[in-house]
Amino acid sequence: MSRPATPPLLKDLNERTVLETIRTAAPISRAEISRRAGISKPTVSVALRSLLDVGLVRSTEPDGDGPRYGAIFFEPVAEAAGVLGLDLGARFLRGGVCDLSGEVHARHDVELAGADPAGVFAAAAELKDRLIAESGLPAERVRSAVVGVPGVVSAGTGRISLAENAHGLDGLEVGAELERELEMGVTVENDVNLAALGERWRGVARDRDDFAFLSIGTGLGAGLVLRGELHRGHHGAAGEVDYAFGVGLERDIDPCAAALAAFVREQAANGGHATSLSEPFPVPDVFAAARAGDELARAAVSEEARRIALHIAPIAAVADIGLVVIGGGIGANGDLLLEPVRAELASRLPYPPRVEVSALGDAAVLSGALSVGLADALESVFVNRRW
């Protein structure tokens, strides 16, 4: 019996629908695919035959010991493609490889202290090779990478700007450089934007359509998700909140590490608070001392919470988001910061957003890179159908 004639666009749509249904509910039978997808059984059979032929799905055993009634069950082939994600931070290069199910097969961090651009690119290439080798996935199936970088990324050229302290990368077309070094396609994205997407994929913002991610550490930045999509802005500079108060509306509001240390230093010199802290007032020591009850450290944490809230307030007031996730080296101290930040926002806004600490910690950017790469890889394997 010949296959029914199907226009190419409809055939493509049917196959995508069947594949997504299998990815969502595997192991799943032909009849159940038809029921869930709203497609006739003969049409499902045609789509399945095509997906099986190119290795995107395979037959498998059903869950449990229930009756099968002769049905064949299907699951997606997770290893049909791999995804490489990299987080190029100020101190560390973090990398991971996952398959099409999102399972991470290899994960490593490399210290980048003092590295220049050439050293960063070489480290990325070495880490790529190591991760692919350890992942167990065929190298030819890991065809592209998503890389998180500090600073604003030009959509047209991949040029980095506003990243003066990031290994000399400011002004470079990092995407093109990495493509040459890694010998694969590379997508470059702002690191805090990726952290937001990571939280939406596997963190406290899972499946939230409107929220912001605020990263506070050595630097400051925000990622904004609206209607389920990352909002980059006209120049790709959405979320550069450290410029929001450049007109001097309120003084002393910088929540970054250097500014927090400067506040502690100033207060220590004034002698108004008892303290065990000493130069150079490292931020981790300040939070540790606050937990131990140190008077100056607790005053510093209170001031830090105020400054963080002052950066959340304009985002929440304009976008009316329901959730803000805070992360970064400072933002991770939720046990000390969450309640005072929430209280400050409640005193300033009629509709304050819920504030939570990142569930992913220093893996947020990498998780976001893998989530973006996963979506791209699924599209690529479906369109190309060769590996």
Side-chain angles (χ1 to χ4, degrees):
M1 185 175 71
S2 61
R3 297 185 185 184
T6 306
L9 182 60
L10 182 58
K11 178 176 181 292
D12 181 87
L13 179 61
N14 287 337
E15 290 174 6
R16 288 174 183 270
T17 301
V18 169
L19 178 59
E20 187 56 33
T21 303
I22 294 172
R23 291 187 70 244
T24 301
I28 184 171
S29 68
R30 193 185 321 256
E32 183 65 9
I33 295 170
S34 174
R35 188 186 71 79
R36 286 178 178 246
I39 301 175
S40 70
K41 290 180 182 179
T43 301
V44 169
S45 295
V46 172
L48 275 172
R49 192 175 301 120
S50 178
L51 295 172
L52 285 162
D53 286 347
V54 297
L56 281 175
V57 302
R58 63 192 167 205
S59 60
T60 187
E61 294 298 316
D63 288 337
D65 299 322
R68 297 181 56 171
Y69 303 112
I72 300 173
F73 289 75
F74 301 92
E75 67 178 3
V77 179
E79 63 273 20
V83 175
L84 172 65
L86 297 174
D87 169 16
L88 204 170
R91 295 178 52 230
F92 290 95
L93 173 65
R94 309 182 195 278
V97 169
C98 73
D99 62 24
L100 291 182
S101 73
E103 180 184 351
V104 177
H105 287 249
R107 166 82 164 82
H108 285 292
D109 296 350
V110 176
E111 192 166 3
L112 289 177
D116 60 6
V120 168
F121 299 144
E126 184 178 341
L127 182 58
K128 179 208 78 168
D129 292 340
R130 179 182 179 185
L131 289 168
I132 292 176
E134 293 187 10
S135 73
L137 298 172
E140 66 273 13
R141 295 191 182 180
V142 185
R143 299 200 189 110
S144 62
V146 177
V147 184
V149 297
V152 175
V153 182
S154 169
T157 65
R159 186 183 299 275
I160 307 300
S161 58
L162 304 183
E164 292 84 356
N165 299 318
H167 308 288
L169 299 178
D170 193 62
L172 296 182
E173 294 183 6
V174 172
E177 296 285 350
L178 283 171
E179 284 189 346
R180 284 191 288 271
E181 198 73 36
L182 300 181
E183 299 180 325
M184 59 172 54
V186 172
T187 299
V188 178
E189 179 60 86
N190 171 265
D191 53 359
V192 185
N193 283 347
L194 289 181
L197 296 178
E199 287 292 336
R200 188 168 190 263
W201 186 36
R202 286 184 168 167
V204 296
R206 189 177 289 113
D207 299 326
R208 292 292 294 259
D209 285 340
D210 298 278
F211 72 97
F213 182 97
L214 184 68
S215 178
I216 316 109
T218 55
L220 178 69
L224 190 59
V225 174
L226 298 175
R227 296 182 180 178
E229 298 290 335
L230 183 65
H231 180 72
R232 293 181 175 84
H234 182 67
H235 298 96
E240 294 295 322
V241 289
D242 45 350
Y243 291 96
F245 293 93
V247 294
L249 297 179
E250 194 163 345
R251 61 185 298 274
D252 299 331
I253 61 164
D254 185 355
C256 297
L260 178 57
F263 174 83
V264 174
R265 185 175 296 110
E266 178 184 334
Q267 296 300 309
N270 292 340
H273 301 283
T275 185
S276 61
L277 294 169
S278 60
E279 288 284 0
F281 303 112
V283 168
D285 291 358
V286 173
F287 282 95
R291 292 184 180 93
D294 185 277
E295 186 178 326
L296 173 56
R298 293 184 71 83
V301 168
S302 177
E303 173 63 13
E304 179 68 12
R306 183 187 77 89
R307 296 182 182 193
I308 291 172
L310 286 173
H311 284 80
I312 292 174
I315 302 173
V318 171
D320 192 24
I321 49 179
L323 172 68
V324 175
V325 182
I326 60 174
I330 290 177
N333 294 281
D335 58 320
L336 295 174
L337 291 172
L338 272 183
E339 290 309 318
V341 167
R342 290 167 177 166
E344 185 74 29
L345 289 172
S347 72
R348 290 176 176 269
L349 297 173
Y351 305 106
R354 192 173 101 241
V355 182
E356 300 291 348
V357 172
S358 168
L360 302 175
D362 60 16
V365 177
L366 179 58
S367 295
L370 291 174
S371 73
V372 171
L374 178 57
D376 292 345
L378 282 166
E379 178 66 17
S380 178
V381 297
F382 192 90
V383 171
N384 294 328
R385 304 187 183 211
R386 52 179 175 79
W387 33 83

